[in-house]
Amino acid sequence: MVNKTIGMITGNFRCDALQTLSQTRSIAAVPFGGRYRLLDFQLSNMVNSGLRTVGIITPQQSRAILDQLGAGKSWFLDRKSGGLFILPGSHYGLHTRNNKFPLKDMANNIEFLTRDFAENVIISTSNIIANLDYKPILINHAKEQADVTLLYLENKLEKEEEPRQLFILSEDKWVTGLEEGMAKGWQKTKYFANTLIIKRQLLIDILKGYEHIENLDLMDVVKENCKNLRVLSYPIHGYFGRVFSLQSYFQHSINLLNLSVQQELFREDNKIHTKIKDNPPTKYGEQAKVKNSLVSSGCNLQGEVNGSIIFRGVQVEPGAIVRNSIIMHKSKIKKGVVLENVILDKYVEVRANTVIKGEDNDPIIIRKNHVV
Amino acid sequence: MKRMSKKECVAMLLAGGQGSRLGSLTRNIAKPAVSFGGKYRIIDFSLSNCVNSGIDTVGVLTQYKPFVLNSYIGLGAAWDLDNAQGGVHILPPYMSEEGGEWYKGTANAIYQNIDFINNYNPDYVLIISGDHIYRMDYSKMLDFHREKKADVTISVMPVPWEEASRFGIISTDLEGRIKRFTEKPAEPDSNLASMGIYIFSWPLLRTALIQDEKDDTSDNDFGKNVIPMLLEEEKRMFAYQFEGYWKDVGTIDSYYEANMDLLLPHPEFDFFDDSRRIFSNSDFYPPHYIGLKAEICNSMISNGCVIEGEVINSILAPGVFVGEGSKIEHSILLPDAKVAKDCHLRKCIVGEQASIEDYTVIGMDEARLDQQEITVIEGKSMVPEEGCLEGEKGILQDSIA
């Protein structure tokens, strides 16, 4: 089952709502949770589910994502047979729609699909925070002889969810239609979780059949052909987050301070993998006061840290206070600094006695490499 | 096997010793595989030194309980030693037509692998061991060896005079040529101690090993036999003086001390030096989490830990759990050790995957608080609820569970 499946992750997606965090990188490459990038979750999910061939559709600004991926060694994808494939995405002008899986990006890389012998392809966006096991879903997909399986979430649309959703209309488990719209009132309903399984041959046929139509999304095609294809819906339970705005990024980061969320996402038997940097352990000084924080390796913490996510190699000097903030790689926080509701991108230096305070649900971002 | 391309220098890493002076820390694993400094294992230092010195071919001689060590080294990828032209090779003792035998001593271990070294046809062989904590550029020592046109170069460092009788002591002339080498002298005439790091010109070493093997009275040991023999033959032997931090972690006390050195305000051995990184093949863990009621003071904490209690002057390896109300002082917790609720541990080494249940008190006897005794809890053992242990060197799995 599993070795009859390959994966494809669309990283060609930028989102201006993430402000400067996604200015020089795609959403896929946005740092998350102390030592990961968003892409790590879906990539690890696929590998942990037994997939050994995964293609990543890369964005125009691909430096960060290529730096992360390398030859795929961290995900055991440096392989003779199959492995990691870098699939260059096309350049788009202005986005007016929230595209998920543009056909053009896949058509440009159709050889990735035609040269393989797999039965199915799992296609997913790269902004998902979840620990998923695709094995039962693939078994179900085969058992029901489905052409397409759409993964969906049900119930409680949280505030940090995207306001525009793709709703799934269904009779029992079979999908009868798709409807894009505003999630008014957040009522109980099935909505698409940006992940689907599709027969490889069907996907190739779609890409060839719609070759001449510009700017079409795979979901448009599925919607149009819902009645002719066997489209199955499959529920996802457990923690599932999507990053589409600064608020959702901040909220999902802070959610990691909840032990049960940590245990669910960072399960020991289904690890989320990322590029390994080999840092020494983090050092806590005599005057360190650290509470309720997720801290990565290689840091030197001498000050006060509370309710925060601290990435690799961060330095906090004595007397500095960091609260409810996200501090990315190798940022330096000098003496007497106070940070509250702040996101420091990588390599930021905050000079002594600087005070920066954002609002509870509206953090202030300091750009990469800046000195403030 | 096809002849490999010629290497200038091949390293042979002696990792076969039992390390019996580390007591229960090495009851299940070889000394080089013992966890150190949080996320490292002792062998990381020698392997990283090789890579950072440009040596890409390393033979690792294993013998004692090699499973953890072998799987830790793997293909050597963690140290960038997964190399088609060289790389890391694990060399256990083996059988041949004439029978086979265990490695009788350090020199015999190399003797049995003459074919391996010949295969790379090196000019020099570097002999190192896997139980020292130090950062060293072997290429500088090799430059020295060539410059002096030496047959043998031994790396030395000054030790305090009062400790000199614990080491192999070397006396030299003004030029650095070795005049005398005495193992553990009662009355040392020099304070230059051998660090157990040798560079030999390969043809000379090969001849010496064959000669030593023929001598039935020999212990087949470098320090005891081969070095004195070559000295007697008046070969060109030089002492290369090393400067920097170097620590043998062969005993519980020195192991504990070397770990605690890392917690000094300005540790002599600086892990944070990016220019000569120490690589390690650590398991993958998420970042560590410091809980709402936790207090951490002057400590080192690795990935994957969850801390709900108090940690003072301690080193926590990956995946350690410290429950609410527990207090850990001056201790070393090895990978995946679990300390449940309301425990109090002082001066304690808790082995890998050991589990300490609620309300346990270790090393807290008032009368002995200022003493130096260290309690060692063996890996995978379980200290039951309300346990009370005191300064025992090596609590064994079967004695408490």
Side-chain angles (χ1 to χ4, degrees):
Chain A
M1 189 70 50
V2 153
N3 53 21
K4 288 187 190 158
T5 307
I6 59 176
M8 189 151 50
I9 300 174
T10 56
N12 189 8
F13 177 63
R14 256 181 66 194
C15 171
D16 296 334
L18 272 173
Q19 301 179 17
T20 58
L21 283 186
S22 61
Q23 193 172 44
T24 58
R25 41 171 101 93
S26 69
I27 279 205
V30 169
F32 181 81
R35 64 179 306 192
Y36 307 91
R37 291 186 195 257
L38 288 177
L39 170 78
D40 292 334
F41 287 87
Q42 279 300 46
L43 190 51
S44 302
N45 287 337
M46 290 184 179
V47 171
N48 290 343
S49 300
L51 273 64
R52 289 296 174 263
T53 301
V54 181
I56 314 274
I57 297 175
T58 58
Q60 211 60 28
Q61 282 177 316
S62 54
R63 190 213 64 82
I65 204 170
L66 295 182
D67 174 85
Q68 171 80 351
L69 290 169
K73 191 165 161 180
S74 296
W75 301 268
F76 323 109
L77 287 173
D78 50 339
R79 303 181 71 80
K80 219 177 236 181
S81 146
L84 179 74
F85 289 79
I86 305 290
L87 311 173
S90 3
H91 183 61
Y92 291 96
L94 284 171
H95 275 270
T96 46
R97 303 186 42 202
N98 185 359
N99 273 342
K100 295 192 190 323
F101 313 117
L103 288 188
K104 195 176 166 192
D105 281 347
M106 293 186 235
N108 284 347
N109 295 292
I110 198 161
E111 286 177 30
F112 170 70
L113 297 165
T114 53
R115 282 195 190 158
D116 210 279
F117 301 100
E119 184 73 28
N120 299 306
V121 188
I122 301 178
I123 306 177
S124 158
T125 57
S126 51
N127 63 335
I128 293 172
I129 300 158
N131 193 321
L132 302 172
D133 182 5
Y134 289 116
K135 284 185 285 273
I137 311 176
L138 287 165
I139 290 169
N140 188 61
H141 179 82
K143 195 183 82 192
E144 303 282 358
Q145 297 182 319
D147 295 314
V148 179
T149 297
L150 302 181
L151 273 60
Y152 71 90
L153 298 153
E154 204 168 18
N155 218 348
K156 54 162 180 60
L157 272 162
E158 304 278 348
K159 268 197 242 86
E160 63 260 22
E161 273 298 348
E162 228 163 331
R164 269 192 98 70
Q165 296 288 348
L166 191 60
F167 293 100
I168 293 177
L169 313 171
S170 59
E171 281 166 21
D172 189 20
K173 59 200 170 201
W174 296 101
V175 179
T176 54
L178 294 172
E179 199 179 291
E180 204 177 337
M182 299 296 284
K184 283 193 212 103
W186 316 103
Q187 71 273 48
K188 178 172 174 167
T189 166
K190 289 178 168 185
Y191 56 103
F192 180 52
N194 292 11
T195 308
L196 69 127
I197 297 167
I198 182 167
K199 284 195 166 153
R200 183 182 60 96
Q201 196 51 52
L202 173 65
L203 180 60
I204 292 170
D205 292 345
I206 289 173
L207 294 176
K208 286 186 175 157
Y210 288 84
E211 201 176 2
H212 302 293
I213 307 176
E214 277 285 319
N215 287 335
L216 213 55
D217 192 275
L218 179 61
M219 297 317 291
D220 297 329
V221 178
V222 173
K223 182 179 173 182
E224 202 174 294
N225 296 289
C226 249
K227 301 257 159 62
N228 316 326
L229 297 169
R230 292 174 66 83
V231 183
L232 195 63
S233 63
Y234 193 97
I236 297 180
H237 304 289
Y239 193 88
F240 191 95
R242 279 177 290 182
V243 173
F244 60 93
S245 66
L246 194 59
Q247 284 72 25
S248 60
Y249 173 79
F250 195 66
Q251 191 56 50
H252 285 301
S253 297
I254 297 301
N255 284 353
L256 294 175
L257 298 180
N258 182 330
L259 263 179
S260 66
V261 172
Q262 269 178 45
Q263 277 157 6
E264 198 179 326
L265 282 179
F266 305 133
R267 286 170 47 175
E268 272 176 42
D269 54 346
N270 247 353
K271 287 179 179 168
I272 303 301
H273 290 272
T274 189
K275 183 176 173 183
I276 291 178
K277 286 276 167 65
D278 247 355
N279 278 309
T282 282
K283 190 154 188 189
Y284 290 77
E286 301 266 1
Q287 301 166 47
K289 277 190 195 141
V290 181
K291 284 190 195 332
N292 191 33
S293 295
L294 195 65
V295 183
S296 205
S297 55
C299 301
N300 190 348
L301 306 183
Q302 309 276 346
E304 187 183 324
V305 179
N306 204 331
S308 298
I309 311 283
I310 310 291
F311 284 68
R312 297 188 266 224
V314 166
Q315 293 180 29
V316 180
E317 291 193 355
I321 299 174
V322 180
R323 287 195 199 113
N324 207 30
S325 295
I326 298 170
I327 313 295
M328 293 189 190
H329 309 74
K330 303 234 168 180
S331 285
K332 288 185 182 136
I333 299 166
K334 301 283 181 186
K335 289 191 179 78
V337 168
V338 178
L339 301 179
E340 247 181 74
N341 299 311
V342 174
I343 299 175
L344 298 190
D345 205 326
K346 296 183 177 187
Y347 307 102
V348 169
E349 187 178 324
V350 186
R351 291 204 194 99
N353 304 318
T354 309
V355 176
I356 309 173
K357 289 185 179 178
E359 293 299 314
D360 242 359
N361 216 1
D362 190 17
I364 292 174
I365 306 186
I366 310 295
R367 282 179 195 215
K368 194 171 166 180
N369 298 325
H370 271 219
V371 181
V372 285
Chain B
M1 188 169 161
K2 102 180 186 305
R3 178 93 170 226
M4 304 303 285
S5 60
K6 182 180 169 62
K7 296 283 174 190
E8 191 188 21
C9 183
V10 167
M12 297 298 272
L13 199 163
L14 298 162
Q18 182 187 350
S20 52
R21 287 173 304 152
L22 276 179
S24 58
L25 283 180
T26 52
R27 202 161 88 118
N28 294 306
I29 53 177
K31 179 157 70 167
V34 171
S35 161
F36 181 87
K39 72 171 278 187
Y40 302 93
R41 294 191 185 267
I42 296 171
I43 197 172
D44 286 336
F45 298 86
S46 306
L47 285 178
S48 300
N49 283 338
C50 284
V51 175
N52 289 333
S53 307
I55 294 171
D56 65 3
T57 308
V58 184
V60 180
L61 299 134
T62 64
Q63 173 156 282
Y64 174 80
K65 296 199 173 162
F67 171 69
V68 176
L69 183 61
N70 291 0
S71 63
Y72 183 71
I73 295 170
L75 298 173
W79 304 269
D80 287 342
L81 283 170
D82 49 339
N83 186 337
Q85 293 288 328
V88 68
H89 298 261
I90 291 169
L91 304 170
Y94 55 87
M95 294 291 292
S96 68
E97 304 81 20
E98 292 96 44
E101 53 187 353
W102 295 108
Y103 292 151
K104 288 180 286 183
T106 50
N108 176 257
I110 308 294
Y111 170 82
Q112 291 199 39
N113 288 288
I114 284 178
D115 284 348
F116 167 79
I117 302 173
N118 274 342
N119 202 37
Y120 291 99
N121 187 25
D123 297 323
Y124 310 102
V125 173
L126 169 73
I127 310 279
I128 49 181
S129 62
D131 49 7
H132 298 151
I133 307 299
Y134 65 120
R135 218 185 230 120
M136 181 168 176
D137 187 347
Y138 302 132
S139 68
K140 286 187 182 153
M141 182 173 166
L142 190 57
D143 288 344
F144 174 91
H145 182 85
R146 270 188 298 242
E147 201 181 293
K148 296 285 183 190
K149 297 190 171 63
D151 295 317
V152 184
T153 301
I154 301 178
S155 184
V156 296
M157 68 179 299
V159 293
W161 278 96
E162 61 273 18
E163 284 182 37
S165 53
R166 296 203 294 120
F167 293 89
I169 291 296
I170 281 170
S171 25
T172 65
D173 66 11
L174 289 173
E175 208 200 345
R177 191 156 174 180
I178 297 173
K179 291 285 139 220
R180 201 167 21 257
F181 179 97
T182 1
E183 274 283 4
K184 303 192 174 107
E187 282 173 28
D189 57 353
S190 147
N191 69 336
L192 287 180
S194 163
M195 296 158 64
I197 300 166
Y198 315 108
I199 290 177
F200 290 92
S201 298
W202 173 232
L204 172 114
L205 175 63
R206 186 172 43 202
T207 314
L209 290 174
I210 293 169
Q211 197 181 328
D212 174 65
E213 188 61 22
K214 282 181 190 149
D215 179 359
D216 285 339
T217 60
S218 171
D219 286 332
N220 307 113
D221 185 271
F222 276 106
K224 261 189 245 166
N225 311 103
V226 177
I227 302 288
M229 176 180 91
L230 291 172
L231 209 52
E232 196 132 300
E233 291 172 12
E234 295 188 349
K235 300 288 187 215
R236 286 180 65 81
M237 300 173 74
F238 285 83
Y240 171 77
Q241 199 152 337
F242 171 76
E243 276 162 28
Y245 184 86
W246 175 86
K247 197 132 199 164
D248 177 287
V249 286
T251 64
I252 297 270
D253 286 333
S254 65
Y255 171 83
Y256 180 83
E257 201 179 300
N259 269 286
M260 288 300 146
D261 281 352
L262 299 170
L263 294 177
L264 296 171
H266 300 284
E268 261 192 90
F269 189 92
D270 184 12
F271 273 124
F272 290 84
D273 179 356
D274 270 350
S275 61
R276 301 185 71 76
R277 284 165 59 193
I278 305 298
F279 300 99
S280 96
N281 185 12
S282 49
D283 274 344
F284 193 83
Y285 290 89
H288 61 264
Y289 174 69
I290 308 295
L292 284 161
K293 294 180 185 161
E295 302 234 1
I296 321 278
C297 177
N298 196 38
S299 294
M300 276 169 76
I301 300 193
S302 309
N303 280 328
C305 293
V306 174
I307 315 296
E308 310 263 31
E310 215 177 317
V311 178
I312 300 160
N313 290 329
S314 296
I315 295 181
L316 273 54
V320 166
F321 175 83
V322 177
E324 224 176 286
S326 283
K327 189 171 181 179
I328 314 284
E329 293 176 277
H330 313 285
S331 293
I332 303 163
L333 275 59
L334 303 190
D336 299 310
K338 303 266 181 279
V339 179
K341 274 189 264 177
D342 298 310
C343 297
H344 197 160
L345 274 56
R346 197 185 144 276
K347 273 216 152 186
C348 188
I349 302 172
V350 182
E352 293 191 33
Q353 297 171 45
S355 158
I356 295 176
E357 303 286 284
D358 297 356
Y359 310 110
T360 295
V361 176
I362 299 178
M364 289 307 296
D365 185 354
E366 288 286 331
R368 303 205 230 176
L369 271 187
D370 5 299
Q371 290 179 24
Q372 296 304 307
E373 278 163 285
I374 299 159
T375 312
V376 183
I377 311 291
E378 192 188 307
K380 292 185 179 161
S381 62
M382 203 264 286
V383 180
E385 226 171 281
E386 294 184 48
C388 186
L389 300 166
E390 210 53 60
E392 278 116 307
K393 294 219 170 155
I395 306 294
L396 300 183
Q397 225 164 313
D398 359 288
S399 65
I400 43 170

